[in-house]
Amino acid sequence: MILRLFAFTALLYALGFALFGVTLGKPAPADSRETAAIVVLTGGKGRIEQAVDRLADGKAERLLIAGADPLVTEADMIDRLEGQRELVECCVDLGSESVDTRSNAEEARRWLDKHDYDELRLVTSDWHMRRAAYEFRRELGEDVHIVFDAVPTRPGFFTLFAEYNKYLLRRLGVLIGI
């Protein structure tokens, strides 16, 4: 009986992992709704560039780079985003209070409240979007409209495996009250 229970649990885990791997986040459609704000989570290639491109395209009026290293300055961002000086100076905020996905959502909540925004475009890697969406939904609730705008990547097996486990453990922890 215990062996069957273990095999069933392993099968559920494997199916969940497979589903997780084939249903990664997608970029928002070109005709997606404009929002007041964009929040981009640091930590992956192309995230900041995609968020700044969306800002330049008029998809939002302001951008928070959540989880930026405290040593990164506005001048560093201008150097990184060649030709975007005016955009960075007027409309980009560097948030350095967060260290993980949960604190990204908390930092974003404070920033949204400060600017009185009730909608945002969330930019992160496709493999990270599900967990980020979960944390942002938990923190922001249903009163904030979120457009999910994933950056396409080619994640390796171990990246997906680690992300799936983080997501699964977080969900299970909430289910059992941890």
Side-chain angles (χ1 to χ4, degrees):
M1 180 66 172
I2 292 176
L3 185 58
R4 286 184 185 165
L5 181 61
F6 177 75
F8 180 70
T9 303
L11 179 64
L12 280 179
Y13 177 85
L15 289 173
F17 178 70
L19 184 63
F20 183 86
V22 298
T23 60
L24 297 178
K26 304 273 187 251
D31 62 349
S32 65
R33 170 182 173 166
E34 293 178 8
T35 60
I38 299 172
V39 175
V40 60
L41 309 184
T42 59
K45 185 177 179 180
R47 294 179 186 185
I48 293 172
E49 290 78 8
Q50 180 168 309
V52 170
D53 287 346
R54 300 298 193 260
L55 185 64
D57 291 344
K59 292 294 185 182
E61 55 192 56
R62 193 153 200 85
L63 165 65
L64 170 66
I65 300 174
D69 187 305
L71 299 177
V72 173
T73 65
E74 186 177 278
D76 295 327
M77 291 309 302
I78 291 169
D79 287 344
R80 178 176 176 169
L81 303 165
E82 300 165 2
Q84 301 285 354
R85 173 181 288 281
E86 295 82 20
L87 195 61
V88 171
E89 288 175 345
C90 84
C91 308
V92 176
D93 296 317
L94 295 171
S96 58
E97 301 168 14
S98 54
V99 295
D100 61 12
T101 309
R102 184 188 311 176
S103 60
N104 286 150
E106 293 165 355
E107 180 177 32
R109 162 54 85 191
R110 290 188 294 277
W111 183 77
L112 290 166
D113 289 346
K114 176 183 175 184
H115 293 283
D116 199 30
Y117 293 141
D118 63 355
E119 58 185 9
L120 73 102
R121 176 179 298 265
L122 180 61
V123 177
T124 189
S125 300
D126 52 4
W127 55 266
H128 186 243
M129 185 58 79
R130 185 175 286 112
R131 187 162 54 99
Y134 175 75
E135 294 294 350
F136 272 70
R137 270 283 145 247
R138 279 190 77 228
E139 181 65 30
L140 303 177
E142 295 300 321
D143 35 324
V144 175
H145 178 78
I146 303 175
V147 173
F148 301 103
D149 197 355
V151 177
T153 65
R154 299 180 76 80
F157 174 81
F158 290 109
T159 299
L160 285 177
F161 183 73
E163 190 63 22
Y164 176 66
N165 285 315
K166 290 176 192 175
Y167 173 74
L168 189 62
L169 289 173
R170 184 77 177 112
R171 294 295 297 253
L172 289 173
V174 168
L175 283 174
I176 61 174
I178 296 175

PDB file of all heavy atoms in Angstrom, residues 14-36:
ATOM      1  N   ALA A  14       5.612  14.069 -11.350  1.00  0.00           N
ATOM      2  CA  ALA A  14       6.155  14.063 -12.712  1.00  0.00           C
ATOM      3  C   ALA A  14       5.189  14.703 -13.704  1.00  0.00           C
ATOM      4  O   ALA A  14       5.598  15.474 -14.575  1.00  0.00           O
ATOM      5  CB  ALA A  14       6.497  12.634 -13.135  1.00  0.00           C
ATOM      6  N   LEU A  15       3.911  14.393 -13.570  1.00  0.00           N
ATOM      7  CA  LEU A  15       2.915  15.015 -14.461  1.00  0.00           C
ATOM      8  C   LEU A  15       2.832  16.512 -14.223  1.00  0.00           C
ATOM      9  O   LEU A  15       2.725  17.298 -15.177  1.00  0.00           O
ATOM     10  CB  LEU A  15       1.548  14.359 -14.265  1.00  0.00           C
ATOM     11  CG  LEU A  15       1.416  12.927 -14.790  1.00  0.00           C
ATOM     12  CD1 LEU A  15       0.069  12.332 -14.375  1.00  0.00           C
ATOM     13  CD2 LEU A  15       1.594  12.881 -16.298  1.00  0.00           C
ATOM     14  N   GLY A  16       2.890  16.922 -12.974  1.00  0.00           N
ATOM     15  CA  GLY A  16       2.879  18.352 -12.656  1.00  0.00           C
ATOM     16  C   GLY A  16       4.083  19.055 -13.231  1.00  0.00           C
ATOM     17  O   GLY A  16       3.974  20.150 -13.795  1.00  0.00           O
ATOM     18  N   PHE A  17       5.249  18.435 -13.121  1.00  0.00           N
ATOM     19  CA  PHE A  17       6.467  19.008 -13.681  1.00  0.00           C
ATOM     20  C   PHE A  17       6.368  19.129 -15.197  1.00  0.00           C
ATOM     21  O   PHE A  17       6.734  20.149 -15.779  1.00  0.00           O
ATOM     22  CB  PHE A  17       7.684  18.179 -13.277  1.00  0.00           C
ATOM     23  CG  PHE A  17       8.972  18.682 -13.867  1.00  0.00           C
ATOM     24  CD1 PHE A  17       9.509  19.879 -13.435  1.00  0.00           C
ATOM     25  CD2 PHE A  17       9.634  17.963 -14.849  1.00  0.00           C
ATOM     26  CE1 PHE A  17      10.701  20.359 -13.973  1.00  0.00           C
ATOM     27  CE2 PHE A  17      10.819  18.430 -15.394  1.00  0.00           C
ATOM     28  CZ  PHE A  17      11.353  19.631 -14.951  1.00  0.00           C
ATOM     29  N   ALA A  18       5.868  18.093 -15.844  1.00  0.00           N
ATOM     30  CA  ALA A  18       5.715  18.131 -17.304  1.00  0.00           C
ATOM     31  C   ALA A  18       4.753  19.245 -17.712  1.00  0.00           C
ATOM     32  O   ALA A  18       5.021  20.000 -18.655  1.00  0.00           O
ATOM     33  CB  ALA A  18       5.222  16.783 -17.817  1.00  0.00           C
ATOM     34  N   LEU A  19       3.645  19.353 -17.006  1.00  0.00           N
ATOM     35  CA  LEU A  19       2.678  20.420 -17.293  1.00  0.00           C
ATOM     36  C   LEU A  19       3.300  21.785 -17.072  1.00  0.00           C
ATOM     37  O   LEU A  19       3.119  22.706 -17.876  1.00  0.00           O
ATOM     38  CB  LEU A  19       1.431  20.245 -16.422  1.00  0.00           C
ATOM     39  CG  LEU A  19       0.292  21.216 -16.674  1.00  0.00           C
ATOM     40  CD1 LEU A  19      -0.242  21.053 -18.089  1.00  0.00           C
ATOM     41  CD2 LEU A  19      -0.825  21.000 -15.664  1.00  0.00           C
ATOM     42  N   PHE A  20       4.047  21.925 -15.995  1.00  0.00           N
ATOM     43  CA  PHE A  20       4.741  23.175 -15.702  1.00  0.00           C
ATOM     44  C   PHE A  20       5.675  23.541 -16.857  1.00  0.00           C
ATOM     45  O   PHE A  20       5.731  24.694 -17.281  1.00  0.00           O
ATOM     46  CB  PHE A  20       5.528  23.021 -14.392  1.00  0.00           C
ATOM     47  CG  PHE A  20       6.235  24.253 -13.933  1.00  0.00           C
ATOM     48  CD1 PHE A  20       5.578  25.200 -13.172  1.00  0.00           C
ATOM     49  CD2 PHE A  20       7.568  24.465 -14.244  1.00  0.00           C
ATOM     50  CE1 PHE A  20       6.230  26.341 -12.730  1.00  0.00           C
ATOM     51  CE2 PHE A  20       8.234  25.606 -13.808  1.00  0.00           C
ATOM     52  CZ  PHE A  20       7.560  26.540 -13.045  1.00  0.00           C
ATOM     53  N   GLY A  21       6.407  22.568 -17.356  1.00  0.00           N
ATOM     54  CA  GLY A  21       7.385  22.807 -18.416  1.00  0.00           C
ATOM     55  C   GLY A  21       6.793  23.169 -19.759  1.00  0.00           C
ATOM     56  O   GLY A  21       7.417  23.892 -20.535  1.00  0.00           O
ATOM     57  N   VAL A  22       5.605  22.693 -20.055  1.00  0.00           N
ATOM     58  CA  VAL A  22       5.009  22.985 -21.370  1.00  0.00           C
ATOM     59  C   VAL A  22       4.032  24.155 -21.334  1.00  0.00           C
ATOM     60  O   VAL A  22       3.512  24.537 -22.382  1.00  0.00           O
ATOM     61  CB  VAL A  22       4.323  21.739 -21.989  1.00  0.00           C
ATOM     62  CG1 VAL A  22       5.332  20.630 -22.214  1.00  0.00           C
ATOM     63  CG2 VAL A  22       3.159  21.266 -21.157  1.00  0.00           C
ATOM     64  N   THR A  23       3.789  24.720 -20.172  1.00  0.00           N
ATOM     65  CA  THR A  23       2.852  25.852 -20.075  1.00  0.00           C
ATOM     66  C   THR A  23       3.546  27.079 -19.491  1.00  0.00           C
ATOM     67  O   THR A  23       3.008  27.745 -18.615  1.00  0.00           O
ATOM     68  CB  THR A  23       1.623  25.488 -19.222  1.00  0.00           C
ATOM     69  OG1 THR A  23       2.064  25.129 -17.897  1.00  0.00           O
ATOM     70  CG2 THR A  23       0.815  24.375 -19.840  1.00  0.00           C
ATOM     71  N   LEU A  24       4.733  27.372 -19.997  1.00  0.00           N
ATOM     72  CA  LEU A  24       5.468  28.546 -19.525  1.00  0.00           C
ATOM     73  C   LEU A  24       4.735  29.819 -19.936  1.00  0.00           C
ATOM     74  O   LEU A  24       3.961  29.835 -20.894  1.00  0.00           O
ATOM     75  CB  LEU A  24       6.876  28.549 -20.112  1.00  0.00           C
ATOM     76  CG  LEU A  24       7.768  27.373 -19.712  1.00  0.00           C
ATOM     77  CD1 LEU A  24       9.117  27.479 -20.411  1.00  0.00           C
ATOM     78  CD2 LEU A  24       7.943  27.306 -18.212  1.00  0.00           C
ATOM     79  N   GLY A  25       5.025  30.898 -19.205  1.00  0.00           N
ATOM     80  CA  GLY A  25       4.410  32.189 -19.508  1.00  0.00           C
ATOM     81  C   GLY A  25       4.732  32.642 -20.925  1.00  0.00           C
ATOM     82  O   GLY A  25       5.746  32.250 -21.503  1.00  0.00           O
ATOM     83  N   LYS A  26       3.885  33.469 -21.473  1.00  0.00           N
ATOM     84  CA  LYS A  26       4.035  33.987 -22.837  1.00  0.00           C
ATOM     85  C   LYS A  26       4.112  35.517 -22.780  1.00  0.00           C
ATOM     86  O   LYS A  26       3.576  36.139 -21.868  1.00  0.00           O
ATOM     87  CB  LYS A  26       2.819  33.606 -23.695  1.00  0.00           C
ATOM     88  CG  LYS A  26       2.541  32.120 -23.743  1.00  0.00           C
ATOM     89  CD  LYS A  26       3.331  31.471 -24.825  1.00  0.00           C
ATOM     90  CE  LYS A  26       2.940  30.028 -25.013  1.00  0.00           C
ATOM     91  NZ  LYS A  26       3.922  29.099 -24.577  1.00  0.00           N
ATOM     92  N   PRO A  27       4.733  36.126 -23.794  1.00  0.00           N
ATOM     93  CA  PRO A  27       4.689  37.589 -23.859  1.00  0.00           C
ATOM     94  C   PRO A  27       3.240  38.046 -24.054  1.00  0.00           C
ATOM     95  O   PRO A  27       2.431  37.336 -24.659  1.00  0.00           O
ATOM     96  CB  PRO A  27       5.518  37.920 -25.102  1.00  0.00           C
ATOM     97  CG  PRO A  27       6.337  36.702 -25.368  1.00  0.00           C
ATOM     98  CD  PRO A  27       5.538  35.537 -24.848  1.00  0.00           C
ATOM     99  N   ALA A  28       2.930  39.211 -23.532  1.00  0.00           N
ATOM    100  CA  ALA A  28       1.591  39.760 -23.730  1.00  0.00           C
ATOM    101  C   ALA A  28       1.417  40.080 -25.215  1.00  0.00           C
ATOM    102  O   ALA A  28       2.376  40.474 -25.889  1.00  0.00           O
ATOM    103  CB  ALA A  28       1.403  41.017 -22.890  1.00  0.00           C
ATOM    104  N   PRO A  29       0.216  39.912 -25.740  1.00  0.00           N
ATOM    105  CA  PRO A  29      -0.019  40.250 -27.153  1.00  0.00           C
ATOM    106  C   PRO A  29       0.277  41.724 -27.425  1.00  0.00           C
ATOM    107  O   PRO A  29       0.154  42.571 -26.533  1.00  0.00           O
ATOM    108  CB  PRO A  29      -1.510  39.963 -27.349  1.00  0.00           C
ATOM    109  CG  PRO A  29      -1.911  39.107 -26.197  1.00  0.00           C
ATOM    110  CD  PRO A  29      -0.980  39.407 -25.082  1.00  0.00           C
ATOM    111  N   ALA A  30       0.664  42.028 -28.649  1.00  0.00           N
ATOM    112  CA  ALA A  30       0.999  43.412 -29.016  1.00  0.00           C
ATOM    113  C   ALA A  30      -0.158  44.367 -28.759  1.00  0.00           C
ATOM    114  O   ALA A  30       0.053  45.533 -28.429  1.00  0.00           O
ATOM    115  CB  ALA A  30       1.419  43.466 -30.480  1.00  0.00           C
ATOM    116  N   ASP A  31      -1.382  43.869 -28.890  1.00  0.00           N
ATOM    117  CA  ASP A  31      -2.544  44.734 -28.683  1.00  0.00           C
ATOM    118  C   ASP A  31      -3.081  44.659 -27.244  1.00  0.00           C
ATOM    119  O   ASP A  31      -4.216  45.049 -26.986  1.00  0.00           O
ATOM    120  CB  ASP A  31      -3.649  44.386 -29.676  1.00  0.00           C
ATOM    121  CG  ASP A  31      -4.165  42.962 -29.505  1.00  0.00           C
ATOM    122  OD1 ASP A  31      -3.543  42.167 -28.777  1.00  0.00           O
ATOM    123  OD2 ASP A  31      -5.210  42.650 -30.114  1.00  0.00           O
ATOM    124  N   SER A  32      -2.242  44.188 -26.327  1.00  0.00           N
ATOM    125  CA  SER A  32      -2.694  44.063 -24.938  1.00  0.00           C
ATOM    126  C   SER A  32      -2.941  45.432 -24.325  1.00  0.00           C
ATOM    127  O   SER A  32      -2.422  46.449 -24.781  1.00  0.00           O
ATOM    128  CB  SER A  32      -1.675  43.284 -24.105  1.00  0.00           C
ATOM    129  OG  SER A  32      -0.475  44.000 -24.014  1.00  0.00           O
ATOM    130  N   ARG A  33      -3.715  45.407 -23.303  1.00  0.00           N
ATOM    131  CA  ARG A  33      -4.120  46.611 -22.584  1.00  0.00           C
ATOM    132  C   ARG A  33      -2.912  47.413 -22.087  1.00  0.00           C
ATOM    133  O   ARG A  33      -1.943  46.859 -21.595  1.00  0.00           O
ATOM    134  CB  ARG A  33      -4.983  46.162 -21.405  1.00  0.00           C
ATOM    135  CG  ARG A  33      -5.312  47.193 -20.408  1.00  0.00           C
ATOM    136  CD  ARG A  33      -6.121  46.575 -19.302  1.00  0.00           C
ATOM    137  NE  ARG A  33      -6.325  47.516 -18.226  1.00  0.00           N
ATOM    138  CZ  ARG A  33      -7.200  47.362 -17.266  1.00  0.00           C
ATOM    139  NH1 ARG A  33      -7.950  46.291 -17.250  1.00  0.00           N
ATOM    140  NH2 ARG A  33      -7.335  48.255 -16.322  1.00  0.00           N
ATOM    141  N   GLU A  34      -3.015  48.724 -22.211  1.00  0.00           N
ATOM    142  CA  GLU A  34      -2.018  49.592 -21.600  1.00  0.00           C
ATOM    143  C   GLU A  34      -2.293  49.636 -20.106  1.00  0.00           C
ATOM    144  O   GLU A  34      -3.430  49.504 -19.667  1.00  0.00           O
ATOM    145  CB  GLU A  34      -2.104  50.995 -22.195  1.00  0.00           C
ATOM    146  CG  GLU A  34      -1.696  51.046 -23.652  1.00  0.00           C
ATOM    147  CD  GLU A  34      -1.816  52.441 -24.258  1.00  0.00           C
ATOM    148  OE1 GLU A  34      -2.082  53.410 -23.514  1.00  0.00           O
ATOM    149  OE2 GLU A  34      -1.658  52.547 -25.478  1.00  0.00           O
ATOM    150  N   THR A  35      -1.244  49.804 -19.323  1.00  0.00           N
ATOM    151  CA  THR A  35      -1.385  49.890 -17.880  1.00  0.00           C
ATOM    152  C   THR A  35      -0.691  51.165 -17.405  1.00  0.00           C
ATOM    153  O   THR A  35       0.100  51.765 -18.135  1.00  0.00           O
ATOM    154  CB  THR A  35      -0.754  48.675 -17.183  1.00  0.00           C
ATOM    155  OG1 THR A  35       0.635  48.623 -17.509  1.00  0.00           O
ATOM    156  CG2 THR A  35      -1.436  47.382 -17.593  1.00  0.00           C
ATOM    157  N   ALA A  36      -0.970  51.560 -16.184  1.00  0.00           N
ATOM    158  CA  ALA A  36      -0.325  52.742 -15.631  1.00  0.00           C
ATOM    159  C   ALA A  36       1.141  52.473 -15.332  1.00  0.00           C
ATOM    160  O   ALA A  36       1.980  53.359 -15.422  1.00  0.00           O
ATOM    161  CB  ALA A  36      -1.056  53.186 -14.365  1.00  0.00           C
TER     162      ALA A  36
END
